[in-house]
Amino acid sequence: MADIKACLFDLDGVIVDTAKYHFLAWRRLCNELGFDLTEEENESLKGISRVESLEILLKLGGVILTQEEKDEWLVKKNDWYLEFVDSMNPDEILPGVVHFLDLLKGAGIKIALGSASKNAMLILKKVELLPYFDAVIDGTKVSKGKPDPQTFTLGAEATGAHPSECVVFEDSQAGVEAGNRGGMYTIGVGDETVLDRAHVVIPGFENQDLKLFNRL
Ligand code: B16
Ligand code: MG
């Protein structure tokens, strides 16, 4: 079994399903700009920063905006997203996550967040999970988004673990690539056909325990 000292968790799609709220807010933005966004198209935005996501969508809709207009739409999108986040509570933690975090705590394994979101702290507080985290690396702390490994490299550093002693849990292709490029073990959370670059893929945390690390 790999000697694991730290687990680095993505937020959106791994701990909570805020992806649905991002989708609704992005779709509203697209609709107001005169085109539609399908759930399939939305897949490519997972794990990608807010600014980069807007660029992808503008290309998709063939819309050209000035920098000032882009900034205005980014504020609007985030305001719509935060309307959903405002009513979040611990019921929105994905199944099995709290039990798994408790097992890690019991085993003395460090826990860090590695999210592209600038709203990560707010969401962790809303769902009352912040006390579990030894370190939080979010979109306010990185200069290079996933698939660059910086988010997870900073997470490993903050926990004092070597990358080879870290496991990254990710639901996005960009995030799995970031963990792999950082020299960490990667566990995909979701569909194994989408996350085929991860060392191991699980559908979610339900019925999982630390024996999972035997598969690495
Ligand atoms: P925000 P993660 C990512 O979170 C989302 O997957 C992505 O859809 C979003 O655009 C990005 O955070 C930025 O979020 O607009 O809240 O700063 O999966 O890295 O936890
Ligand atoms: Mg994610």
Side-chain angles (χ1 to χ4, degrees):
M1 182 178 125
D3 184 18
I4 301 306
K5 301 256 168 60
C7 285
L8 314 178
F9 290 85
D10 175 51
L11 178 65
D12 178 30
V14 170
I15 289 177
V16 287
D17 185 16
T18 32
K20 61 187 179 214
Y21 302 141
H22 280 296
F23 172 60
L24 291 170
W26 283 129
R27 193 173 60 180
R28 180 167 173 185
L29 177 144
C30 293
N31 289 168
E32 295 202 8
L33 285 171
F35 61 101
D36 202 12
L37 175 68
T38 65
E39 289 206 42
E40 207 183 350
E41 288 162 341
N42 184 61
E43 275 298 308
S44 65
L45 307 180
K46 285 190 179 170
I48 304 297
S49 75
R50 201 182 306 168
V51 170
E52 273 184 80
S53 298
L54 179 65
E55 293 299 336
I56 293 170
L57 292 175
L58 293 178
K59 209 171 277 174
L60 194 80
V63 175
I64 295 168
L65 299 178
T66 64
Q67 190 54 50
E68 205 183 342
E69 288 168 330
K70 285 180 191 173
D71 293 343
E72 283 168 15
W73 282 108
L74 286 170
V75 170
K76 281 190 198 175
K77 184 270 170 181
N78 198 50
D79 287 347
W80 295 328
Y81 176 67
L82 289 179
E83 282 172 22
F84 294 113
V85 169
D86 191 50
S87 55
M88 284 183 79
N89 63 51
D91 290 345
E92 294 203 43
I93 300 169
L94 289 167
V97 168
V98 173
H99 176 62
F100 195 79
L101 293 177
D102 282 331
L103 292 176
L104 294 176
K105 279 271 170 232
I109 296 172
K110 298 277 187 198
I111 300 172
L113 193 84
S115 168
S117 176
K118 292 187 170 168
N119 297 301
M121 282 297 263
L122 172 67
I123 293 168
L124 285 181
K125 284 181 194 159
K126 283 269 175 198
V127 300
E128 298 173 15
L129 282 182
L130 190 57
Y132 278 94
F133 287 84
D134 299 295
V136 173
I137 308 298
D138 62 17
T140 66
K141 298 193 177 135
V142 295
S143 54
K144 290 175 261 179
K146 303 166 188 177
D148 188 280
Q150 190 191 41
T151 306
F152 295 124
T153 305
L154 290 176
E157 267 172 35
T159 62
H162 188 269
S164 64
E165 300 166 325
C166 294
V167 179
V168 165
F169 289 92
E170 257 292 347
D171 72 314
S172 71
Q173 290 176 334
V176 166
E177 193 183 330
N180 288 342
R181 280 167 57 180
M184 297 151 196
Y185 291 104
T186 49
I187 298 185
V189 182
D191 185 340
E192 56 187 349
T193 56
V194 178
L195 303 171
D196 59 343
R197 304 287 302 279
H199 295 102
V200 169
V201 179
I202 56 174
F205 286 95
E206 238 170 347
N207 304 318
Q208 294 295 342
D209 57 32
L210 302 189
K211 289 202 285 289
L212 173 60
F213 299 149
N214 294 338
R215 294 169 60 193
L216 294 169

